Amino acid sequence: MTTTHEDSDGQALTGRAFHLIGVGGAGMSVLAQLLAEQGADVTGSDASSGPALEQLRAQGLKVYVGHDAAAVPEQATVVVSTAIKETNPEVAEARARGQEVIHRSQALALAARGRRMVAVAGAHGKTTTSGMLAEALTAVGQDPSFAIGGVVRALGSGAHLGTGPAFVAEADESDRSFLNYTPAVEIVTNVEPDHLDTYGTREAFESAFLDFARALVPGGLLISCTQDPGALALALAVAEEGRRVVTYGCCTPAELPGQGLVGEAHVELQIHEHLATGTRSSLVRWTSATTHEEPVELRLSAPGEHVALDAAAAWACGLELEVDEQQMARALASFGGTQRRFEDRGEAGGVRVVDDYAHHPTEIEALLRAAREVAAARGGRVLVLFQPHLFSRTQAFAERFGQALGLADVAVVTAVYPARETQEDYPQVTGRLVSEKAPGTARYVADRVEAARSLADMARPGDLLLTVGAGDVTEMGQVALARLCERAPGDSGGEVA
């Protein structure tokens, strides 16, 4: 029997038709599942096949490979992402018929109606933080709905329509679509400028986050990180407007600008020990510049200070959602990660291969610091295959990417993954811009398969080999593992050519 879920206007989604163009994308496939679970008739298309389409077909959805005007149901609301152009034949057909065409974020807001939305935003850290929160709330029995741009390993999905009041959503700032939400709680992990192809300037990027905070429902809460100057500035501005704010970071309120509390509370993260398998830390909730509650122990099974900070944000949100502080900390301790976030791909010849989605310089710095802790425990080095994502981002951050890769012992940079951009618009931009800015032994190998094999040839027992980036570099972990398996017994790896 299909359960009818209604939005706040009382309009049932059961029987309503949606056609999603680009349904194989992470965000769109999640949305398709959510709409279908609410009783909507969902169809979709994508330029190529892949695991997401196969999963949707297994769930009974009609999804097609290729874009064909005939695939669009006449009564459907057509859902697109920013990457879908008006020249797409399915969009053109919907426009000609006068059908409703909406952005993915608008459809997600529709799916979230009637629930208490928690929107997680930031240039990086969104997927881990929202995944942590969804898994922890599930563990404590709240059965949240969630829409996350990555599969939460313990939950086996990035989407779920729950029976509880909370709806956890990863909010994408890349195309301003996060401004379509009216959350009850917002988590902002950082406001570090990115997507300047959309915003143009740092000021415009930061202004969008202020607009995002102003979209909170009356009485809603902003949870913002003090480790990032942009997120701290946002917290200060929002607090000055009289809105509710809780901050978090590796400091006490006395160490913040003005030496006092920003908003109603501050969660201090105290890291006691970095381990190859995670961190041991405490969370201290300050209610004034000089008053705090008893520390709460937090043990995490994923390495890195950045992951611990994400957990602090999720813990603060759990308290807002009326979860007991000790119970929330215990639930976070079991977080097993999301796909493509420090995800093990296997081990061969004593070399551990890990894949990660990091595609911004700050993300890569945090990843490689955590990787060094893991490699040190193994007595090995950190080897990185990095694929830059977008020509515009590569051009803007080439020097910072190079500096970040300096944290690796060996780095190989491959060709830029273009995504929505074309090489013709950026003829001088290649991965070589990054390798030339990296200190030490970084080098450029345009072909990603050749790059993966060459890095594997340099690996020694005990090393940690990472494939890093938001594009198809994720497929290169298996290439590296195959190369490692091909090596003759006793071959301990070579040096950089």
Side-chain angles (χ1 to χ4, degrees):
M1 184 177 75
T2 301
T3 302
T4 299
H5 296 270
E6 297 188 347
D7 64 27
S8 58
D9 298 322
Q11 179 184 10
L13 293 183
T14 296
R16 185 168 173 181
F18 293 89
H19 181 75
L20 281 63
I21 304 177
V23 73
M28 291 289 259
S29 61
V30 163
L31 176 60
Q33 294 175 62
L34 285 171
L35 293 172
E37 286 183 20
Q38 294 196 56
D41 294 327
V42 180
T43 59
S45 65
D46 207 291
S48 59
S49 188
L53 262 65
E54 294 305 317
Q55 182 179 359
L56 292 173
R57 287 194 184 103
Q59 294 171 351
L61 276 65
K62 293 181 179 179
V63 292
Y64 309 95
V65 176
H67 297 303
D68 186 341
V72 184
E74 291 187 4
Q75 303 304 316
T77 295
V78 174
V79 183
V80 299
S81 68
T82 305
I84 304 300
K85 307 299 183 185
E86 286 292 314
T87 54
N88 180 285
E90 295 180 11
V91 175
E93 179 68 13
R95 296 289 190 196
R97 293 177 184 169
Q99 290 175 245
E100 183 181 28
V101 179
I102 63 175
H103 189 270
R104 175 182 61 83
S105 60
Q106 294 172 293
L108 183 59
L110 179 62
R113 283 185 181 178
R115 289 175 169 79
R116 195 176 184 190
M117 187 180 213
V118 179
V120 183
H124 30 270
K126 294 186 293 290
T127 301
T128 297
T129 305
S130 52
M132 272 185 174
L133 187 55
E135 184 176 327
L137 292 177
T138 301
V140 302
Q142 285 206 4
D143 190 23
S145 300
F146 54 88
I148 299 166
V151 174
V152 183
R153 293 174 199 161
L155 302 178
S157 177
H160 172 65
L161 184 67
T163 58
F167 191 115
V168 180
E170 183 176 336
D172 185 9
E173 80 287 346
S174 67
D175 55 4
R176 302 180 190 268
S177 62
F178 69 156
L179 300 179
N180 287 322
Y181 305 132
T182 53
V185 183
E186 293 178 353
I187 296 173
V188 174
T189 58
N190 48 73
V191 187
E192 186 171 359
D194 195 3
H195 311 293
L196 297 183
D197 55 323
T198 296
Y199 291 96
T201 66
R202 169 190 287 268
E203 291 75 20
F205 185 79
E206 293 171 346
S207 178
F209 274 85
L210 184 56
D211 289 341
F212 175 63
R214 289 170 174 163
L216 280 162
V217 300
L221 175 68
L222 170 68
I223 300 171
S224 199
C225 183
T226 60
Q227 295 297 110
D228 174 68
L232 175 57
L234 176 68
L236 288 164
V238 172
E240 287 176 1
E241 293 183 351
R243 302 173 191 271
R244 295 181 61 217
V245 174
V246 168
T247 57
Y248 67 98
C250 300
C251 63
T252 67
E255 295 169 316
L256 294 174
Q259 296 186 335
L261 209 61
V262 178
E264 62 189 50
H266 174 73
V267 176
E268 178 195 0
L269 171 68
Q270 300 176 346
I271 297 182
H272 306 305
E273 187 176 12
H274 287 285
L275 304 168
T277 54
T279 56
R280 185 176 63 83
S281 59
S282 295
L283 299 170
V284 180
R285 187 174 184 273
W286 293 78
T287 53
S288 77
T290 57
T291 307
H292 64 77
E293 299 169 358
E294 287 298 311
V296 174
E297 184 182 36
L298 177 67
R299 290 178 177 267
L300 296 174
S301 56
E305 180 182 287
H306 62 301
V307 176
L309 280 166
D310 293 341
W315 184 79
C317 185
L319 271 57
E320 174 70 6
L321 298 177
E322 301 178 344
V323 181
D324 174 78
E325 60 182 23
Q326 296 285 352
Q327 188 181 22
M328 190 67 186
R330 288 193 295 270
L332 289 167
S334 62
F335 177 66
T338 58
Q339 286 186 0
R340 296 226 59 209
R341 269 70 180 182
F342 213 85
E343 182 179 10
D344 272 304
R345 289 301 170 89
E347 185 165 329
V351 179
R352 179 182 172 187
V353 178
V354 170
D355 182 55
D356 198 276
Y357 189 73
H359 58 286
H360 184 278
T362 302
E363 291 175 338
I364 294 170
E365 288 168 357
L367 167 67
L368 295 184
R369 289 192 194 100
R372 295 202 70 83
E373 295 168 10
V374 175
R378 295 168 55 87
R381 305 170 300 164
V382 175
L383 283 64
V384 176
L385 170 59
F386 173 57
Q387 180 186 54
H389 184 261
L390 295 176
F391 296 108
S392 58
R393 183 183 286 120
T394 304
Q395 185 177 56
F397 297 125
E399 186 166 357
R400 285 203 54 209
F401 277 130
Q403 292 170 351
L405 292 175
L407 293 171
D409 294 292
V410 179
V412 174
V413 182
T414 192
V416 176
Y417 185 80
R420 58 185 178 271
E421 299 177 341
T422 62
Q423 180 76 73
E424 288 75 16
D425 293 330
Y426 300 88
Q428 305 304 317
V429 179
T430 71
R432 193 181 301 277
L433 289 180
V434 175
S435 64
E436 289 176 345
K437 298 294 184 180
T441 58
R443 62 176 179 143
Y444 175 63
V445 179
D447 183 271
R448 61 196 177 105
V449 173
E450 181 185 346
R453 289 173 175 166
S454 68
L455 195 63
D457 288 342
M458 299 178 219
R460 307 168 185 159
D463 285 350
L464 182 65
L465 188 156
L466 296 96
T467 55
V468 179
D472 53 15
V473 70
T474 184
E475 301 166 1
M476 295 301 99
Q478 292 304 318
V479 173
L481 282 168
R483 187 69 160 200
L484 290 166
C485 290
E486 291 172 1
R487 291 201 322 209
D491 186 349
S492 60
E495 298 298 331
V496 181

